[in-house]
Amino acid sequence: MLWSIGGGIFLFALGMFLFLKPDLVWKLTEEWKSYRADEPSAFYLKVTKIGGVLFALCGIFMILLPLILE
């Protein structure tokens, strides 16, 4: 139960980071791969935000699951 709640909190925090700061995620993970790109594309920003929402929802589910099954 503790692992599920801890993992859920981690996934929720990661999802919120992806949703709120997609440009920083791009700088940390993708900027070094291209010498021409100055900023992330609009598509990258949208897809990263959608992924952040999905991570956050999975985190909420993992937090609530042990509480529901008790």
Side-chain angles (χ1 to χ4, degrees):
M1 181 169 116
L2 188 60
W3 284 100
S4 177
I5 293 174
I9 291 170
F10 176 75
L11 283 179
F12 180 76
L14 180 64
M16 292 308 296
F17 178 71
L18 288 170
F19 181 76
L20 296 174
K21 298 286 186 180
D23 51 342
L24 181 60
V25 173
W26 180 81
K27 284 184 179 186
L28 293 173
T29 61
E30 302 293 331
E31 185 180 32
W32 63 274
K33 294 178 188 177
S34 176
Y35 60 90
R36 283 191 249 170
D38 294 332
E39 60 185 26
S41 66
F43 178 73
Y44 179 87
L45 294 175
K46 287 179 187 176
V47 169
T48 304
K49 285 187 175 195
I50 290 170
V53 169
L54 292 176
F55 266 87
L57 289 175
C58 287
I60 290 171
F61 179 73
M62 284 181 68
I63 292 169
L64 295 177
L65 188 63
L67 303 174
I68 294 170
L69 294 178
E70 281 186 352

